[in-house]
Amino acid sequence: MKLFIRTILLATGISLVSLSCDDFVDIDPYYAQDAENYFKSPDDYQRALVGAYDLMQTSYLDIWIGEIASNNSIAGGESVTDSEGLHQIDAMTHGGVNTELRSIFRFMYAGITRVNYIFENKDKLEFDGKDRILAEAHFLRAYYYFELVKFFGDVPVVLDRRLSATEVSGLPRTPKAEVYTQIQNDLIAAAEVLGWSTPVKGRITKGAALSLLGKAYLYQDKFTEAATTLDEVINDGPYALSADFATIFRASNEGSSETIFDIEYVGTEGGSYGCFVCLEGFAAVGFHGIRQYTGPIYTSGNSYNLPTQDLVDEFEPGDPRLPASVLDIEAFKTAQLPTEVLYGVGGGGHTGYFNNKYLKRLDELGAGDDDLTSPVNHKVIRYADVLLMAAEAHNRKSAPNDGLALQYLNEVRQRPSVNMPAVNVTGSALTQAIWHERRVELAGEGLHFFDLVRTGRAAAEIDGFTTNKNELFPLPQDEIDLASAGWAQNIGYNN
């Protein structure tokens, strides 16, 4: 699959994306194909769609930044200069020169380019099943633009044609509201065609499209629209909460009833430290691993994205989701006696905790360098997330339905294997209860920073957060320098 995807990248001329990967230019001419002479068969459309899916595999950055920018975790790692951009985000000192933020900007536009390549050629051939391919492409474009708008705000929107560096930099930034309108249009188009299930594991479904649409509405405070959309997922979809919370994130539990949208990874070699976009495995898992670890169950890693005491303290006493979400390494070490457990502490910080949802385990190792080849999938939207988004939407809409909001909230709290006491409050107290539940239920999944920002709580919760600045991340300065359209930096950032 990777060979095809690299060929498509070269053939479509995505000069916008400089990914520092020799494999992207070292292609045997036998496999090279002129983009203008592509799309001669249904298989060509399918392969182009696979290429459009591929940029989702850079989602490790979404988890890291969504946690590290919040009060849920610290950057960690070997030193403060190891992935320095993450440490800057942790300290809220980040600016326009930041490797991780630049990667998000470029990766997402690379994905959009691959989607637009399909739409640019959508009329070249008619065949059964093309409507589904285009529906999945609509979802992918919405996903990539959603990532861009939630990180950077106003971004250029280009539809149905490929992007080059010159074209993108020559376009003005599209206002955030218009970007969301395009996201909504793409997701509605996807949901109209797709079914609730798919015969191909990992492909987008109607439930994924509606769930992301509901999330896009929620991020705009369109609570009535969010409630209606998410109710459709709850009432008509095939989803249910997993009975065992502790195993939701295990590779052996992929495709469970709780999974609405996940990003597929496989445990094979597919890239290197010089080309993270080439990876086939989920880098977040290996990099979350316990530094210099020896002992049972787990294996050694790089100690990134370390949960904080603040997050641990958010859990109610006796909540079984705490040990399933956060590994207390000293408590674990004691529990293994007389078996000896050893670990090291990185210079990038140490909290005593590790992200237990996405943590490298002995029975989930990939081939080659297993820091880069975890087969564990990234669960982007779970049914619990949908229930809690719907609860918030019903509670906060102009005509609140707190009864239904409570039902959804308590369904999450009282699932088998969790069994926390039911909540029975209304109004603003219910709002706070839902926000609390989102933090503990979704801990370590990369959502908390964006939840804090969209609900106006970030300044009160995040040390160093500056209001009217840190709600957005800065545009990469390199992209501003290239922009003949004269892009202004986001407010409050000088570089």
Side-chain angles (χ1 to χ4, degrees), residues 285-298:
V285 176
F287 278 72
H288 290 170
I290 306 164
R291 182 170 294 275
Q292 298 170 341
Y293 176 88
T294 59
I297 301 176
Y298 304 100

Side-chain angles (χ1 to χ4, degrees), residues 164-479:
S164 70
T166 302
E167 286 178 308
V168 173
S169 64
L171 294 172
R173 295 169 68 184
T174 303
K176 178 179 175 180
E178 294 179 27
V179 181
Y180 271 114
T181 296
Q182 180 56 45
I183 291 167
Q184 292 160 198
N185 290 341
D186 272 329
L187 292 171
I188 290 168
E192 286 175 348
V193 173
L194 297 172
W196 291 105
S197 62
T198 172
V200 181
K201 184 175 182 288
R203 288 290 183 87
I204 297 306
T205 63
K206 183 183 189 74
L210 289 174
S211 298
L212 186 57
L213 177 61
K215 181 165 285 195
Y217 285 138
L218 195 67
Y219 273 56
Q220 300 170 80
D221 288 351
K222 294 182 176 180
F223 301 119
T224 299
E225 295 91 335
T228 299
T229 303
L230 296 166
D231 279 351
E232 184 176 354
V233 179
I234 294 166
N235 295 328
D236 298 343
Y239 309 108
L241 295 171
S242 293
D244 184 5
F245 183 89
T247 62
I248 291 172
F249 295 86
R250 300 301 304 275
S252 59
N253 204 24
E254 289 178 5
S256 73
S257 62
E258 186 156 344
T259 300
I260 294 179
F261 167 37
D262 65 354
I263 296 173
E264 296 283 319
Y265 291 95
V266 293
T268 58
E269 200 77 69
S272 67
Y273 291 93
C275 186
F276 273 55
V277 77
C278 307
L279 299 179
E280 297 284 5
F282 193 17
V285 176
F287 278 72
H288 290 170
I290 306 164
R291 182 170 294 275
Q292 298 170 341
Y293 176 88
T294 59
I297 301 176
Y298 304 100
T299 186
S300 187
N302 297 292
S303 66
Y304 276 62
N305 190 18
L306 303 173
T308 61
Q309 187 66 48
D310 190 90
L311 171 60
V312 171
D313 292 344
E314 183 75 13
F315 286 83
E316 298 162 60
D319 190 336
R321 291 172 296 184
L322 173 56
S325 304
V326 179
L327 175 70
D328 181 332
I329 188 61
E330 283 296 322
F332 174 79
K333 182 178 178 179
T334 299
Q336 303 311 305
L337 293 173
T339 301
E340 186 177 37
V341 171
L342 300 174
Y343 70 93
V345 174
H350 179 66
T351 64
Y353 301 114
F354 294 86
N355 184 338
N356 212 12
K357 289 179 176 176
Y358 293 114
L359 191 57
K360 195 165 71 168
R361 290 170 164 82
L362 287 167
D363 62 352
E364 292 177 334
L365 297 181
D369 186 339
D370 54 41
D371 281 346
L372 306 178
T373 58
S374 171
V376 174
N377 285 356
H378 175 189
K379 296 192 181 303
V380 183
I381 301 180
R382 295 193 282 122
Y383 186 54
D385 187 8
V386 166
L387 286 168
L388 293 174
M389 287 193 292
E392 182 178 342
H394 279 291
N395 168 250
R396 299 182 69 193
K397 67 184 184 179
S398 57
N401 186 344
D402 282 356
L404 190 55
L406 273 172
Q407 177 185 320
Y408 291 155
L409 170 62
N410 285 324
E411 188 173 341
V412 174
R413 289 178 60 82
Q414 298 190 298
R415 66 157 74 194
S417 81
V418 173
N419 293 317
M420 294 301 290
V423 170
N424 188 20
V425 293
T426 60
S428 60
L430 177 55
T431 309
Q432 296 294 327
I434 293 167
W435 289 343
H436 158 78
E437 199 67 21
R438 285 190 62 80
R439 188 180 184 192
V440 297
E441 171 70 27
L442 304 169
E445 298 180 41
L447 305 180
H448 189 50
F449 174 78
F450 300 103
D451 274 351
L452 290 176
V453 166
R454 68 176 180 79
T455 58
R457 296 175 290 148
E461 298 291 334
I462 301 171
D463 290 342
F465 187 96
T466 300
T467 303
N468 297 323
K469 173 186 176 182
N470 293 132
E471 291 85 356
L472 295 174
F473 291 94
L475 289 176
Q477 189 61 42
D478 283 349
E479 309 307 325

Side-chain angles (χ1 to χ4, degrees), residues 8-18 109-111 113-114 163-165:
I8 287 294
L9 182 64
L10 183 65
T12 53
I14 307 174
S15 55
L16 171 69
V17 186
S18 175
Y109 270 114
T113 296
R114 297 187 189 186
L163 307 167
S164 70

Side-chain angles (χ1 to χ4, degrees), residues 136-151:
E136 292 182 47
H138 275 296
F139 175 92
L140 294 173
R141 185 165 64 187
Y143 170 81
Y144 294 131
Y145 273 124
F146 182 70
E147 292 298 290
L148 286 166
V149 76
K150 80 179 187 183
F151 274 93

